[in-house]
Amino acid sequence: METYCLGLDSGSTATKAVIFDTKGRTVAVGSRRVEQRQPRARHVERDMEETWAAASGAIRDALELGKVSASAIAAVGVTGHGDGLYLVDRQGAPLGPGILSLDSRAFVVRDQWREAALLPKALDLTGQQPYPYAAVSLLKWIQVNEPERYAKIGHVLFCKDWLRFCLAGVPATDPTEASSSFTDVRTQRYSSDVLELYGLASIGHALPDIVPSTSVAGRVTARAAAQTGLKEGTPVACGLHDVTASAVGMGNTEPGVLSITAGTFSINEILSDHPQPDPRWSCRNGTRAGQWMNMSISPASSSNVDWFMREFFAHETRQAEQRRCSPFDLIEDELQAAFAEPSSVMFHPFLFGSPFEQPASASFFGIRSWHHRAHLARAVLEGMVFNHRYHIEALNSAFPARRGGLTGGGSSSPMLAQLFADIVGIQIDIPDSQEASALGAALCAGVSIGAFDSLPDACAHACHIQRTHRPDLEHQGRLNEAYALYVQLMSGMSPLWPALDRAAIVH
């Protein structure tokens, strides 16, 4: 009987359970949505029990759809959205809702740390300046605003750690997730100096043990077996932070290759064999000891495209949902025509956030009476990729890349993937698996039980390239000029963003 590994991937809106064979082929996918709640301004949460219910339901769905017996699942690997916070009390019960990485309640904490000149110290010690949605920022906010909740904390977990706790009953985290807030960038281990820097020394007891990503962190309990359909005793690997899992799922486990994800966040990352902290990126633990993942990100990618399609192509978006296809399949001719002619329209994709400290906002520029919605759509797509280039140029200043892998919303469209190649200026590879994060988690599971010798060995067997896009030199030249103007417009708008933000509050 063939054996399989299951990768559980809990994103910000959906949780997927994907069964893979040892060659990386997808056998079955189960998917359940998880409701986001915004009870107050800047609060983005979800119920932790509902999150587990979605995960267990997705696992049952995958087993049923794939007609795979529980005994055929050799191991389970877990990944989930990074940062945020999932707290449990000393009895292991949820301590309030899970907090997503879209949450910004702790922006005041971040501002206070900046004013106190703490951020440069954090960069030197931890390899990053904490975002408002970082675990340390959220813990500080809870310490100040919800002291009773803070006092009851038994374990500080991240999304994947909560799901693994539900599966195996063992609190733990892995090096990639631990390094998102709590580790010394040089030793790659917990540091009391980090907690003291943030005034969080009292939470040290609640940090879970760090278990290697490719090690067994526990086994499926009888209770979890009944809820998921998995076999009791099935090994559960510790797993990875989701963006690192995505890189692994694309086969990128060594320096020199960019891993790009076009999703809710613009995620751009590259591995290195030495730490090099810089305010333009976060320097976190990599896939093994002595390796670092350098990630430059902002909440400014394909979510802008989703918004534009809902607002300007509402009919086509509804049609696409009915036909179960991409809305771009329905507007391809219109969009191709817009790309085929000159256009002055540009777009800053900052609807949901930006790479900058100041409160940047989205803007269209250069619109004239003869432009129509497809010209605006082209500008949104180009603006999204320009923002990726902004991050990638920062990374490439220290870590040159010879090629890049692309996953997320942009990877399924050959036109958009080519746009990435032309704007970024390097070869872009599209992975064969559309579930890169889940595959990365499943490969951790495979290594944990000896199906593979290491993650590089697992990637060699299971990660394949579907197609490759190389820069078109003629298009690249024109887009370089457009990108230079895009950057000039950012510089021009930068002094006005705070005033625009205040105006929105007043009105």
Side-chain angles (χ1 to χ4, degrees):
M1 179 177 65
E2 187 165 6
T3 58
Y4 306 98
C5 288
L6 186 145
L8 183 62
D9 176 16
S10 184
S12 57
T13 57
T15 296
K16 293 182 178 180
V18 188
I19 299 172
F20 298 95
D21 66 16
T22 54
K23 295 182 180 179
R25 293 177 295 205
T26 300
V27 176
V29 180
S31 181
R32 298 283 182 102
R33 295 190 68 80
V34 186
E35 180 186 359
Q36 290 184 7
R37 296 185 175 90
Q38 299 185 47
R40 285 185 280 168
R42 297 185 178 274
H43 290 232
V44 185
E45 307 170 339
R46 64 187 188 189
D47 183 272
M48 289 174 63
E49 294 289 6
E50 290 179 8
T51 302
W52 166 239
S56 56
I59 293 171
R60 291 195 307 272
D61 293 345
L63 292 170
E64 182 178 344
L65 289 169
K67 295 180 173 56
V68 175
S69 69
S71 59
I73 303 297
V76 177
V78 189
T79 188
H81 75 79
D83 298 275
L85 197 60
Y86 288 69
L87 299 174
V88 298
D89 63 20
R90 289 171 177 80
Q91 286 71 49
L95 196 57
I99 302 175
L100 299 178
S101 53
L102 296 171
D103 193 285
S104 61
R105 74 186 71 183
F107 79 99
V108 174
V109 171
R110 162 85 182 207
D111 288 346
Q112 290 170 344
W113 284 343
R114 183 175 60 249
E115 291 167 5
L118 182 146
L119 297 183
K121 298 176 184 177
L123 178 65
D124 180 65
L125 178 60
T126 71
Q128 60 203 308
Q129 298 179 347
Y131 300 105
Y133 50 80
V136 287
S137 306
L138 294 167
L139 282 167
K140 191 66 180 180
W141 187 93
I142 292 170
Q143 184 190 55
V144 172
N145 295 280
E146 299 177 352
E148 292 183 2
R149 182 184 183 189
Y150 183 86
K152 295 177 182 177
I153 295 173
H155 298 292
V156 175
L157 304 176
F158 296 95
C159 178
K160 80 168 192 321
D161 301 330
W162 162 243
L163 295 178
R164 190 188 338 91
F165 182 69
C166 294
L167 277 168
V170 179
T173 193
D174 83 295
T176 64
E177 207 88 74
S179 70
S180 67
S181 273
F182 303 113
T183 59
D184 183 310
V185 68
R186 292 166 184 83
T187 67
Q188 299 187 303
R189 301 185 66 80
Y190 286 142
S191 167
S192 59
D193 292 340
V194 173
L195 296 180
E196 289 172 6
L197 177 68
Y198 297 125
L200 294 170
S202 58
I203 206 69
H205 73 279
L207 299 183
D209 290 343
I210 299 176
V211 176
S213 302
T214 56
S215 293
V216 174
R219 295 179 182 275
V220 174
T221 63
R223 183 171 183 267
Q227 293 171 314
T228 61
L230 292 168
K231 183 180 178 181
E232 181 182 355
T234 301
V236 182
C238 200
L240 294 158
H241 182 288
D242 67 339
V243 297
T244 310
S246 179
V248 170
M250 288 189 277
N252 301 336
T253 60
E254 297 298 332
V257 183
L258 277 164
S259 297
I260 306 168
T261 301
T264 303
F265 277 69
S266 168
I267 298 171
N268 313 275
E269 52 188 344
I270 191 166
L271 291 160
S272 66
D273 289 327
H274 63 279
Q276 188 164 334
D278 189 289
R280 295 173 295 172
W281 60 78
S282 295
C283 182
R284 298 180 175 180
N285 291 343
T287 61
R288 53 174 170 76
Q291 186 187 70
W292 286 262
M293 178 63 87
N294 307 279
M295 55 184 72
S296 188
I297 66 175
S298 63
S301 189
S302 65
S303 49
N304 287 269
V305 179
D306 295 339
W307 168 84
F308 183 82
M309 294 300 294
R310 287 196 307 270
E311 298 297 325
F312 289 82
F313 289 89
H315 175 67
E316 290 82 357
T317 299
R318 287 193 297 271
Q319 278 191 320
E321 290 174 355
Q322 294 169 359
R323 300 182 187 182
R324 297 184 178 181
C325 66
S326 167
F328 288 100
D329 294 336
L330 306 181
I331 66 168
E332 184 175 0
D333 291 343
E334 187 177 351
L335 197 56
Q336 289 286 5
F339 270 97
E341 58 189 34
S343 175
S344 60
V345 184
M346 304 201 79
F347 178 70
H348 283 164
F350 307 142
L351 285 168
F352 304 96
S354 78
F356 310 108
E357 286 283 346
Q358 58 265 59
S361 53
S363 301
F364 280 105
F365 303 91
I367 301 175
R368 306 299 291 268
S369 63
W370 54 82
H371 292 128
H372 49 81
R373 63 178 187 170
H375 291 105
L376 272 65
R378 168 184 164 178
V380 171
L381 293 171
E382 290 178 341
M384 177 192 78
V385 185
F386 284 154
N387 185 60
H388 278 272
R389 173 170 168 172
Y390 183 84
H391 290 291
I392 289 167
E393 284 190 340
L395 291 171
N396 281 348
S397 68
F399 313 106
R402 59 184 182 272
R403 62 180 181 86
L406 174 65
T407 189
S411 61
S412 61
S413 165
M415 179 193 71
L416 190 52
Q418 184 61 46
L419 191 63
F420 267 92
D422 294 342
I423 289 176
V424 178
I426 59 172
Q427 173 182 314
I428 296 293
D429 296 326
I430 306 301
D432 189 52
S433 175
Q434 296 299 304
E435 308 294 348
S437 292
L439 178 57
L443 295 182
C444 286
V447 175
S448 76
I449 58 169
F452 307 106
D453 293 335
S454 62
L455 278 180
D457 178 58
C459 291
H461 284 86
C463 299
H464 312 287
I465 295 172
Q466 181 188 98
R467 63 181 192 276
T468 293
H469 297 262
R470 294 178 176 83
D472 180 301
L473 296 182
E474 182 180 350
H475 292 166
Q476 187 180 357
R478 292 198 298 266
L479 288 165
N480 282 341
E481 294 177 5
Y483 177 71
L485 179 56
Y486 170 91
V487 174
Q488 282 184 293
L489 288 168
M490 286 196 299
S491 298
M493 287 299 299
S494 180
L496 302 176
W497 282 329
L500 282 170
D501 192 53
R502 289 193 299 272
I505 294 172
V506 170
H507 294 297

